[in-house]
Amino acid sequence: MAAGLDALNLLDTLAEVVFRTDAEGCWTYLNPAWTRLTGFSIAESLGNRFISYVHPEEIEHTIALFMAVVVGGADHCHHETRYRIADGTYRRVQIRARVLRDDDGEVVGNMGTIIDVTDARFGAEMAGEQSALLELVPTGGKIDDLPVGVVIYDPDLAVRRASRVVDRLVGTPTRSGDPVDELSLRLRPAAPGGPALGGEWGLVATARRTRQAQIGDLDVLPARAAAAQDAAAGRPATGEPQEVSLGPVRSLRATVIPMHDDSGTQVAVVFSDITDLRRAERQQAALAYLGQRALTTLDVAALLNEAVELVASTLAVERCDLIECIELATQTGGRASRAGFGEAHDDVTAVPDGAGGAGGVVGVARIADVGGSPRPTSDVQAHVRACYGRYGGSWNAGLVSAAPGSYISKVLSSCQPLVVDDLSGHPDIATERWLQGDGAVASVGAPIGVGSRAFGVLAAHSGTRRWFTKDEAHFVQSVANIIAAAVELAQMQEDRARLAVFEDRDRIACELHDLVIQRLFSVGLRLQSLTRLVAEPGVERLSAAISDLDQTIDEVRRTIFDLRPPYA
């Protein structure tokens, strides 16, 4: 017993994650290093499948690797992959696992260790960049020839040299003699609480203080936010004021390398563009979070509000709407199903990407140039069910048209994400007040559900003209698919609860019929047989009691019919 406790105490002190899974790949043991690495508690992680923490791009490779080990009869596996952590980002880890088999050779699980190698990878990248810089800087080599942006600061932290790539990445010119804080004001930490470029405890100061290279991810501030920074610092604005979108900021990885010589410590800052990587990670983290919420919550209204806020923040747009189509009344007075939105329109062109998206999405539709007025419409009822960034909330959206030719109809009929780069260029939908009421200029929308099961549209809107990418459009479609699945799940649970009530009522009805009525009828027969054995004054009272029993039996029968479910 003591030896077992000592072993557990030893596992608790290890820096490496020690794990064990069952045959299904679900965690059955994790030591405290798991929480230190990922931020997830052990209690919430046990029972989850290990594959759910693997980066989506590496899931197929990981499964193939483990299957090869199991089928091939091997007992060890060693590979590197990316694991999701609590803040939605990923860490690169090295996994060594041993397959566990029973006496019959059947796999019953695996156990092993997980080691965080992210910093080691960064160190290797920094070593390569540092070597390249050490060759270029002393010899006066052309840093403009490098594919990355480079700024070299002298011992007084003033710009000595800067490549033109920096100007393109940051969006403002970097001049010789500028202090490090000039560039730092245009950048912010990518993660809340992360290190900034400048400042007393920023990346540059830390690199000089420790004489070791530092690395951090930074986001470029939008022009509007940068102008506010200039105003707060008392600096004059550069150029004419412009209305610039808050839309997707550029993300940079900054590697700060201290270089020592006789004149003091110079600092070289290397900027690499990781915008696509950060955008993909944010979208994947958002989808993972929303998917988990969809499986664990029964509050659909709260989920819809979270979804629109998540889409707006992930895509960095000003507004996001979720429109629900209630019903479609035809001109003849009848009712048509929502499949009527599936009619093809000539003014919607599909741009296939060959990759295929979630939920059967195979491309992105962009509205072609169209003229004229909207076509005759049916009476379609639709409303904004949830929104983010809309002044006055959902109730202030006003009438939402989902008739043929409208924005909602075009999204539903395209059966895939629909991108409108400039609403002003499409007069057929530009007049819809709910769409442009708060200054929407560009939009991307995706149907929630498919075909006759589509019940609405999820749409993100930008305040300036913007070319939404296919990845962004497919992200909106993926969120719409999660919402559709959550709504269907909630509907199934509601139907299941209703069915349980019907089954309970049916059971009660059967018991009333088979037990209560039969007993009442039997009592009535016995009382009726007694009328021949009692004197005349008692016969009248017995007949009245038998009549009351007959009336009670009739009332119970009516109650049984009322209890029967509609399908019975």
Side-chain angles (χ1 to χ4, degrees):
M1 183 69 176
L5 291 176
D6 290 342
L8 289 176
N9 292 334
L10 178 61
L11 290 176
D12 289 347
T13 62
L14 289 178
E16 296 83 8
V17 177
V18 179
F19 69 88
R20 180 167 181 164
T21 72
D22 59 18
E24 301 297 326
C26 299
W27 303 119
T28 58
Y29 173 79
L30 291 163
N31 69 334
W34 169 259
T35 302
R36 293 193 293 270
L37 170 63
T38 66
F40 295 113
S41 68
I42 295 176
E44 69 176 317
S45 301
L46 291 178
N48 294 337
R49 300 185 65 189
F50 79 90
I51 202 69
S52 64
Y53 296 90
V54 177
H55 194 285
E57 294 178 359
E58 300 182 3
I59 289 179
E60 185 176 353
H61 170 72
T62 302
I63 294 176
L65 183 65
F66 273 93
M67 289 301 297
V69 172
V70 172
V71 175
D75 58 356
H76 285 84
C77 179
H78 179 204
H79 73 290
E80 220 175 80
T81 187
R82 285 174 287 174
Y83 260 38
R84 176 169 54 89
I85 61 177
D87 64 3
T89 59
Y90 290 84
R91 304 283 293 179
R92 182 159 288 280
V93 297
Q94 192 175 87
I95 300 176
R96 294 179 182 270
R98 176 173 174 267
V99 179
L100 303 177
R101 302 178 186 271
D102 59 16
D103 295 337
D104 298 327
E106 296 294 329
V107 175
V108 296
N110 63 82
M111 63 181 300
T113 60
I114 302 175
I115 302 174
D116 185 2
V117 297
T118 306
D119 294 337
R121 277 299 187 96
F122 283 169
E125 293 173 2
M126 286 191 293
E129 293 170 349
Q130 191 168 7
S131 298
L133 284 172
L134 290 176
E135 292 179 3
L136 285 172
V137 175
T139 61
K142 293 182 179 180
I143 57 177
D144 287 333
D145 294 339
L146 293 174
V148 294
V150 179
V151 182
I152 300 172
Y153 291 95
D154 61 22
D156 295 328
L157 294 184
V159 174
R160 174 173 289 181
R161 299 170 62 192
S163 66
R164 289 191 296 269
V165 179
V166 175
D167 298 346
R168 178 177 60 82
L169 293 178
V170 180
T172 56
T174 302
R175 303 178 180 89
S176 178
D178 285 349
V180 66
D181 288 340
E182 186 73 22
L183 183 59
S184 180
L185 287 172
R186 299 300 191 271
L187 305 169
R188 65 184 174 197
L197 180 64
E200 184 180 358
W201 298 101
L203 295 171
V204 172
T206 303
R208 283 166 56 89
R209 188 180 298 114
T210 62
R211 294 195 174 188
Q212 292 184 358
Q214 303 294 316
I215 190 168
D217 292 343
L218 305 169
D219 285 339
V220 179
L221 285 171
R224 200 181 300 171
Q229 292 269 24
D230 289 338
R235 290 187 300 273
T238 57
E240 295 295 328
Q242 296 180 350
E243 184 69 15
V244 181
S245 172
L246 295 175
V249 294
R250 189 186 299 275
S251 297
L252 307 176
R253 176 156 293 160
T255 306
V256 183
I257 305 171
M259 299 179 295
H260 313 287
D261 55 22
D262 296 337
S263 62
T265 302
Q266 300 184 69
V267 175
V269 183
V270 181
F271 292 107
S272 303
D273 191 347
I274 58 169
T275 303
D276 292 340
L277 175 62
R278 289 286 299 172
R279 183 184 297 129
E281 288 182 347
R282 282 195 293 266
Q283 292 176 8
Q284 290 161 0
L287 291 175
Y289 169 79
L290 196 63
Q292 185 177 14
R293 287 282 293 145
L295 293 175
T296 57
T297 184
L298 298 178
D299 190 348
V300 175
L303 180 68
L304 298 184
N305 289 328
E306 286 189 58
V308 293
E309 182 176 356
L310 201 62
V311 170
S313 60
T314 303
L315 296 184
V317 295
E318 293 86 346
R319 205 178 84 216
C320 183
D321 293 323
L322 191 149
I323 296 91
E324 180 183 15
C325 298
I326 302 174
E327 64 179 9
L328 168 60
T330 63
Q331 292 177 338
T332 59
R335 293 195 179 187
S337 68
R338 294 189 182 106
F341 292 122
E343 300 172 357
H345 295 300
D346 295 335
D347 54 359
V348 177
T349 57
V351 185
D353 60 7
V361 177
V362 295
V364 177
R366 295 185 183 271
I367 292 186
D369 293 332
V370 255
S373 59
R375 282 167 280 186
T377 64
S378 302
D379 183 17
V380 179
Q381 302 298 322
H383 69 116
V384 177
R385 174 75 179 273
C387 65
Y388 176 82
R390 178 182 288 278
Y391 296 110
S394 302
W395 67 271
N396 197 36
L399 180 64
V400 177
S401 173
S406 66
Y407 177 87
I408 300 300
S409 176
K410 289 177 183 294
V411 174
L412 292 174
S413 63
S414 67
C415 297
Q416 57 189 355
L418 186 68
V419 173
V420 186
D421 304 307
D422 188 0
L423 288 169
S424 63
H426 304 283
D428 55 334
I429 60 176
T431 57
E432 299 184 29
R433 190 179 73 83
W434 75 269
L435 187 60
Q436 291 189 304
D438 291 331
V441 174
S443 179
V444 54
I448 303 174
V450 180
S452 61
R453 300 170 69 183
F455 72 91
V457 167
L458 179 66
H461 315 288
S462 173
T464 57
R465 185 169 183 177
R466 171 172 167 179
W467 187 271
F468 288 98
T469 66
K470 290 179 180 178
D471 288 340
E472 290 172 332
H474 287 166
F475 166 72
V476 176
Q477 181 65 74
S478 298
V479 174
N481 292 340
I482 292 175
I483 293 173
V487 171
E488 288 188 4
L489 179 61
Q491 185 64 50
M492 289 173 58
Q493 291 174 336
E494 184 179 342
D495 293 343
R496 190 179 296 113
R498 188 182 298 110
L499 181 60
V501 172
F502 286 157
E503 290 177 346
D504 198 39
R505 292 172 63 179
D506 192 39
R507 177 186 58 79
I508 294 173
C510 290
E511 290 180 356
L512 286 175
H513 181 272
D514 297 339
L515 184 62
V516 178
I517 287 184
Q518 296 300 328
R519 286 186 178 181
L520 290 175
F521 191 74
S522 177
V523 172
L525 289 177
R526 288 200 297 270
L527 291 176
Q528 192 171 9
S529 67
L530 290 175
T531 57
R532 296 191 297 268
L533 303 177
V534 298
E536 184 63 30
V539 172
E540 186 177 348
R541 296 177 63 183
L542 281 174
S543 297
I546 292 171
S547 178
D548 289 343
L549 282 175
D550 289 339
Q551 184 177 355
T552 301
I553 290 172
D554 290 339
E555 291 176 353
V556 172
R557 282 200 177 103
R558 284 195 295 270
T559 302
I560 291 173
F561 290 137
D562 291 338
L563 284 173
R564 292 285 187 179
Y567 57 80

